[in-house]
């Protein structure tokens, strides 16, 4: 599942510290539902799609649907903004146990030369009646919010990228993974390997990867332990996507390993 697809929130109108203590004495219940597919691809020839919401719990669930435009910061955080580009129906729905319902999703704007990205959210609503447990104890209800990526692809798609702007300073390696294409790619892995004399591996790190949207950049800052850095002659970076692998390397000067003065 997409890393940002599921967000769970506790709906307690209490100060944070109070809620944390209060919830320790209450049983928590999480309803179960699924939304498929986990990604939606639209474009000039495919202007709409269907999402299927299935209630896998033993109670009736209520949902509301919303959509936002989606961009990302250089650190990889999701950035959402209101949009009217995405149209969907229904906006509210109720599902009995074991039932499913289709949501039709489309876009009001035609495809452009660069892929546009959105997220559509299917959010569980609180039940109309609060369950009462034995001993007059209330139940803490855990609600689930699913966020499904929507990619509106251009008629002509181009892929491209690079690992660039490598710099090692005070024992910290910094570099960018740039998407120079007009459609998003997913970083399946970002691997950093240091080698020393006679090709001996001195340092190895697997960094987190995720989407890099069209024209976007993902910034990385990787600390290297001083002892490992001192033995390293070359650092190699390998960023692997579904279709390509981008590579770059950097020679290590001894003075670049010195930690920042305290």
């Amino acid at each position: 599942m997409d890393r940002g697809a599921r967000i769970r929130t506790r709906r307690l109108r209490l100060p944070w510290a109070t809620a944390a203590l209060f919830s320790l004495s209450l049983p928590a219940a999480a309803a179960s539902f699924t939304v498929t597919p986990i990604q939606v691809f639209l474009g000039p020839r495919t202007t709409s799609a269907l999402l299927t919401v299935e209630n896998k719990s033993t109670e009736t669930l209520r949902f509301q649907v919303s959509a936002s435009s989606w961009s990302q910061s250089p650190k990889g955080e999701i950035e959402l903004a209101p949009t009217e580009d995405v149209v969907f129906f229904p906006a509210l729905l109720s599902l009995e146990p074991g039932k499913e319902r289709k949501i039709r999703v489309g876009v009001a704007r035609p495809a452009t030369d660069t892929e546009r990205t959105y997220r559509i959210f299917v959010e569980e609503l609180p039940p109309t009646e609060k369950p009462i447990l034995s001993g007059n104890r209330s139940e803490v209800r855990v609600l689930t919010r699913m966020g499904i990526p929507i990619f509106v692809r251009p008629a002509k798609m181009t892929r491209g990228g690079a690992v660039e702007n490598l710099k090692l300073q005070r024992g910290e390696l910094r570099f960018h993974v740039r998407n120079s294409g007009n459609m998003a790619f997913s970083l399946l892995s970002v691997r950093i390997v240091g080698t020393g004399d006679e090709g001996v591996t001195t340092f190895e790190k697997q960094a987190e990867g995720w989407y890099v949207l069209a024209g976007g950049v993902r910034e990385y800052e990787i600390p290297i332990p001083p002892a490992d850095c001192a033995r390293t002659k070359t650092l190699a970076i390998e960023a692997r996507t579904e279709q390509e692998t981008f590579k770059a390397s950097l020679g290590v000067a001894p003075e670049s390993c010195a930690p920042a003065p305290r």
Side-chain angles (χ1 to χ4, degrees):
M1 179 174 291
D2 174 68
R3 190 183 77 177
R6 177 169 293 185
I7 303 170
R8 287 185 174 177
T9 56
R10 292 185 183 273
R11 299 300 179 88
L12 287 176
R13 294 186 176 180
L14 294 170
W16 170 250
T18 306
L21 292 173
F22 186 62
S23 64
L24 292 176
S25 62
L26 297 178
S32 176
F33 70 95
T34 60
V35 181
T36 53
I38 61 172
Q39 295 176 311
V40 173
F41 297 96
L42 303 177
R45 297 183 180 179
T46 306
T47 57
S48 67
L50 291 174
L51 292 177
T52 301
V53 183
E54 183 178 1
N55 182 357
K56 292 184 173 291
S57 75
T58 57
E59 59 182 302
T60 298
L61 301 180
R62 302 186 307 129
F63 304 94
Q64 68 178 7
V65 184
S66 62
S68 299
S69 66
W70 165 36
S71 59
Q72 285 183 212
S73 75
K75 298 298 183 184
E77 297 96 346
I78 292 176
E79 296 179 339
L80 302 175
T83 185
E84 295 183 356
D85 293 353
V86 181
V87 291
F88 48 86
F89 180 84
L92 294 170
L93 60 149
S94 179
L95 280 180
E96 297 177 347
K99 300 294 184 180
E100 65 179 40
R101 179 81 181 269
K102 305 289 186 183
I103 301 172
R104 182 164 292 278
V105 182
V107 286
R109 291 175 57 198
T112 62
D113 292 338
T114 301
E115 182 179 70
R116 299 197 311 276
T117 48
Y118 306 90
R119 284 192 171 244
I120 186 164
F121 294 95
V122 179
E123 183 175 5
E124 182 188 358
L125 295 174
T128 54
E129 296 182 2
K130 295 182 179 180
I132 301 297
L133 302 182
S134 60
N136 293 323
R137 294 185 301 158
S138 296
E139 181 182 69
V140 177
R141 181 58 179 264
V142 180
L143 302 178
T144 302
R145 186 187 191 208
M146 297 280 193
I148 307 300
I150 300 175
F151 301 90
V152 183
R153 289 182 161 174
K156 184 178 181 180
M157 296 180 286
T158 60
R159 294 184 173 91
V163 176
E164 58 186 27
N165 296 338
L166 283 72
K167 185 176 183 180
L168 179 63
Q169 187 174 29
R170 293 176 176 175
E172 183 176 72
L173 174 66
R174 298 185 180 187
F175 61 92
H176 297 167
V177 178
R178 180 176 298 278
N179 183 346
S180 58
N182 68 354
M183 57 185 293
F185 59 65
S186 293
L187 286 171
L188 304 181
S189 67
V190 179
R191 185 167 173 255
I192 303 96
V193 177
T195 55
D197 293 330
E198 299 181 357
V200 174
T201 299
T202 57
F203 173 81
E204 188 167 356
K205 172 77 175 181
Q206 192 84 15
E208 182 182 67
W210 201 39
Y211 292 113
V212 182
L213 303 185
V217 170
R218 178 68 189 272
E219 297 178 351
Y220 287 90
E221 298 175 357
I222 308 296
I224 302 177
D228 294 339
C229 192
R231 297 185 298 117
T232 300
K233 303 298 184 183
T234 304
L235 286 165
I237 297 91
E238 182 178 278
R240 186 167 63 90
T241 74
E242 306 98 318
Q243 289 84 20
E244 301 175 86
T245 300
F246 312 123
K247 297 180 180 181
S249 62
L250 177 69
V252 176
E255 60 271 19
S256 61
C257 294
R262 295 184 179 180

